[in-house]
Amino acid sequence: MSETNNTNNNDRDIHTHALVGERLCLDFANTVSWHDSEDSREWLTSYERLVGWCQHADILTEQQALSLLQQAEDHPAEANRVLKKTVEFREAIHDIFSSIPKNETPNKADLATLNGMLVDTYRSIQIVPDDDNNFSLQFQKPEDSLDGILAPIVQSAIDILVSEKELKRVKKCEGDPCGWLFLDTSRNRSRRWCSMADCGNRAKARRFYQNKK
Ligand SMILES: [Zn+2]
């Protein structure tokens, strides 16, 4: 796990951060820019920014976000603890899903982190019947605790890991050292970049320059 640089991204609006992963847990993994470089940029630099990102990623409504921000203001030490736990979890998710396109077994410590989160998440989950007596899983309300926002991310990671079909489509952007992850949902599985406008164009420009030489 790399130490992330806390400078530069603080001023950038978290509500504009690109969501290109196609799955929640991959977008979550992409909350560091240039993850695989020495010069990585952390986006989750405060609990407020974490809540902002969760709202941006549709985990929270505005009202739920406001409720959590109020609770964080009342319990700053706990909010900081949750932020630290979240960043550790994010690093584990990034490392686990980075190992998949390389066909490598994920690191044991990263899996232990995910399994720890799984226990926390499933402690608060309930199975409930609906009016037609069908059953579904119900998470606690995300605003009920400062770390309630993590449950849907854990669930998203599990959904990919146990789905052979989805697992095969996990890719890492070829724009070295971008480090962003995504699920390739293109029909012919030809997606190579986090975004064509970003890493895709950079690679094209590099190829053009090399050809000219
Ligand atoms: Zn990229």
Side-chain angles (χ1 to χ4, degrees), residues 173 175 178 180 193-195 199:
C173 176
C178 169
W180 276 17
W193 320 104
C194 60
S195 100
C199 287

Side-chain angles (χ1 to χ4, degrees), residues 125-130 133-139:
I125 223 168
Q126 287 184 347
I127 195 143
V128 287
D130 65 14
N133 277 332
N134 293 314
F135 293 89
S136 64
L137 287 174
Q138 198 173 71
F139 291 98

Side-chain angles (χ1 to χ4, degrees), residues 39-93:
D39 204 22
S40 59
R41 296 277 187 271
E42 176 63 75
W43 282 79
L44 305 178
T45 48
S46 65
Y47 188 82
E48 288 70 25
R49 282 176 68 86
L50 171 61
V51 167
W53 182 82
C54 288
Q55 203 186 333
H56 178 48
D58 279 338
I59 300 177
L60 294 173
T61 63
E62 190 180 351
Q63 203 160 17
Q64 290 170 325
L66 287 173
S67 162
L68 277 175
L69 290 176
Q70 183 58 57
Q71 291 174 53
E73 212 175 298
D74 297 342
H75 307 279
E78 173 65 4
N80 263 331
R81 191 192 65 78
V82 170
L83 176 68
K84 198 165 165 265
K85 176 169 122 174
T86 301
V87 169
E88 276 169 19
F89 173 50
R90 197 266 326 276
E91 288 302 294
I93 288 287

Side-chain angles (χ1 to χ4, degrees), residues 12-194:
R12 298 176 67 182
D13 185 359
I14 194 86
H15 295 92
T16 63
H17 190 56
L19 301 173
V20 297
E22 298 284 343
R23 291 294 178 272
L24 178 62
C25 70
L26 300 178
D27 282 327
F28 175 64
N30 296 343
T31 51
V32 174
S33 296
W34 306 112
H35 191 286
D36 294 352
S37 82
E38 302 267 289
D39 204 22
S40 59
R41 296 277 187 271
E42 176 63 75
W43 282 79
L44 305 178
T45 48
S46 65
Y47 188 82
E48 288 70 25
R49 282 176 68 86
L50 171 61
V51 167
W53 182 82
C54 288
Q55 203 186 333
H56 178 48
D58 279 338
I59 300 177
L60 294 173
T61 63
E62 190 180 351
Q63 203 160 17
Q64 290 170 325
L66 287 173
S67 162
L68 277 175
L69 290 176
Q70 183 58 57
Q71 291 174 53
E73 212 175 298
D74 297 342
H75 307 279
E78 173 65 4
N80 263 331
R81 191 192 65 78
V82 170
L83 176 68
K84 198 165 165 265
K85 176 169 122 174
T86 301
V87 169
E88 276 169 19
F89 173 50
R90 197 266 326 276
E91 288 302 294
I93 288 287
H94 187 274
D95 289 355
I96 289 169
F97 284 96
S98 293
S99 69
I100 288 165
K102 292 189 281 186
N103 225 346
E104 287 172 3
T105 308
N107 186 300
K108 272 188 188 155
D110 292 328
L111 283 176
T113 301
L114 175 59
N115 279 323
M117 295 294 299
L118 190 69
V119 173
D120 287 351
T121 299
Y122 279 30
R123 194 176 287 142
S124 60
I125 223 168
Q126 287 184 347
I127 195 143
V128 287
D130 65 14
D131 294 341
D132 301 321
N133 277 332
N134 293 314
F135 293 89
S136 64
L137 287 174
Q138 198 173 71
F139 291 98
Q140 68 168 358
K141 292 196 193 103
E143 71 273 31
D144 281 355
S145 67
L146 286 170
D147 61 358
I149 43 186
L150 297 176
I153 304 174
V154 173
Q155 186 65 49
S156 161
I158 301 305
D159 287 346
I160 300 182
L161 289 172
V162 299
S163 159
E164 208 179 317
K165 201 174 126 219
E166 298 227 325
L167 204 56
K168 278 189 201 146
R169 291 178 178 262
V170 174
K171 288 186 180 177
K172 184 176 256 194
C173 176
E174 290 180 24
D176 186 42
C178 169
W180 276 17
L181 295 155
F182 56 87
L183 197 83
D184 183 359
T185 54
S186 68
R187 203 191 304 188
N188 53 0
R189 299 192 192 184
S190 57
R191 183 172 166 194
R192 298 171 64 190
W193 320 104
C194 60

